[in-house]
Amino acid sequence: MQRLQDIQHELEKVQVLAPWGKKQDDQWDKASRFIYELCTYQDIEYKLNTLQAEETFRNYVWNRWYNFWSAKGIEIIFKSFNQVQAHPNPYHSSIDFYINNIPFDHKSTVYPKNYPHNLTQALAQPKALIQWLYTEQSQQQRFHLDNRLFIIFYDKNLLHWKLKSQLLWISSIVENYLNQFDPQKLIRIDFEKHKACLSDIIWCIKN
């Protein structure tokens, strides 16, 4: 399943996405690696039933599966544009693609409920939010301080997660961003005892 329409169709079958139940960690990530291979809603449901998975693990798996396939769809979107080049190693830990030869990892996330500022403030001061996102990221194997492009979802009804399934809509937002892409407008983030990185936010907002 690689077509955007197919991925979106499967993601939209998730009507309720319960909280993770526990903080993401390497141990449970390893136990749920099957999410990379099972691309349909029905396949995941069958796998969890076969495992007789308890509720916390089920919620963990559904969140990982939904987020992975949404991110996979977004990656496909980026790589469909001429100014984006895929990294030759699809498993690289901190580079998904290059935009005008600048390397980026992309991170799609809902508007963080623990961020101590509202949307208006975040839109006005994106650097502060980016710094917060880097600081609050997982300290497990996904941790890095390299260039990152954040795709942030915000829904006025606070169902931010549902927007991650709307890949065709997201594609139009990404296209608009790339048409206006200017390396000079990227946000530079400096870290103590670490090289600086370049970052930016692509907002996906539904009012």
Side-chain angles (χ1 to χ4, degrees):
M1 181 180 69
Q2 293 295 321
R3 294 198 322 141
L4 286 185
Q5 294 93 330
D6 295 335
I7 298 174
Q8 177 166 321
H9 179 67
E10 293 300 322
L11 292 174
E12 287 177 334
K13 292 180 181 179
V14 179
Q15 297 301 307
V16 177
L17 196 63
W20 286 71
K22 71 185 296 292
K23 190 172 183 179
Q24 190 170 8
D25 62 36
D26 292 345
Q27 181 181 0
W28 276 37
D29 280 1
K30 184 177 180 180
S32 57
R33 284 187 63 83
F34 54 83
I35 61 110
Y36 300 127
E37 305 298 330
L38 303 180
C39 57
T40 71
Y41 179 96
Q42 185 176 5
D43 286 343
I44 289 291
E45 186 68 21
Y46 179 79
K47 179 70 172 181
L48 290 172
N49 290 339
T50 300
L51 293 174
Q52 297 183 322
E54 53 90 23
E55 184 177 4
T56 302
F57 186 67
R58 290 181 70 93
N59 292 341
Y60 191 96
V61 167
W62 277 118
N63 276 278
R64 282 203 77 207
W65 178 82
Y66 187 89
N67 288 335
F68 170 76
W69 283 101
S70 173
K72 183 74 171 177
I74 292 171
E75 190 172 327
I76 291 170
I77 290 168
F78 273 98
K79 292 175 181 178
S80 70
F81 293 99
N82 291 333
Q83 62 264 59
V84 178
Q85 301 81 41
H87 192 281
N89 176 7
Y91 303 106
H92 195 282
S93 61
S94 62
I95 302 174
D96 290 324
F97 48 72
Y98 299 82
I99 304 177
N100 293 0
N101 297 317
I102 301 172
F104 286 102
D105 173 41
H106 90 277
K107 172 67 174 176
S108 52
T109 184
V110 300
Y111 191 82
K113 63 180 180 180
N114 294 326
Y115 187 58
H117 303 288
N118 62 30
L119 178 63
T120 301
Q121 293 168 301
L123 289 168
Q125 298 180 327
K127 184 173 183 176
L129 175 54
I130 289 172
Q131 289 175 315
W132 187 91
L133 289 167
Y134 270 105
T135 300
E136 296 298 316
Q137 71 178 302
S138 169
Q139 301 299 303
Q140 304 278 331
Q141 65 181 355
R142 296 160 300 279
F143 178 86
H144 73 73
L145 296 174
D146 297 319
N147 294 356
R148 179 166 270 174
L149 188 58
F150 293 96
I151 298 92
I152 301 183
F153 298 91
Y154 186 94
D155 172 61
K156 69 172 184 178
N157 297 316
L158 304 184
L159 295 174
H160 311 312
W161 66 271
K162 279 197 169 186
L163 300 183
K164 283 188 172 188
S165 70
Q166 303 304 300
L167 296 175
L168 301 179
W169 169 68
I170 296 167
S171 180
S172 65
I173 294 174
V174 169
E175 180 177 18
N176 185 60
Y177 176 82
L178 291 174
N179 285 339
Q180 303 179 57
F181 183 78
D182 181 353
Q184 300 302 316
K185 294 181 179 180
L186 293 171
I187 297 171
R188 178 188 172 98
I189 306 293
D190 295 288
F191 301 101
E192 185 178 354
K193 300 180 181 179
H194 193 278
K195 64 182 177 67
C197 73
L198 297 174
S199 187
D200 205 357
I201 296 175
I202 297 177
W203 289 99
C204 296
I205 300 172
K206 281 204 172 178
N207 296 317

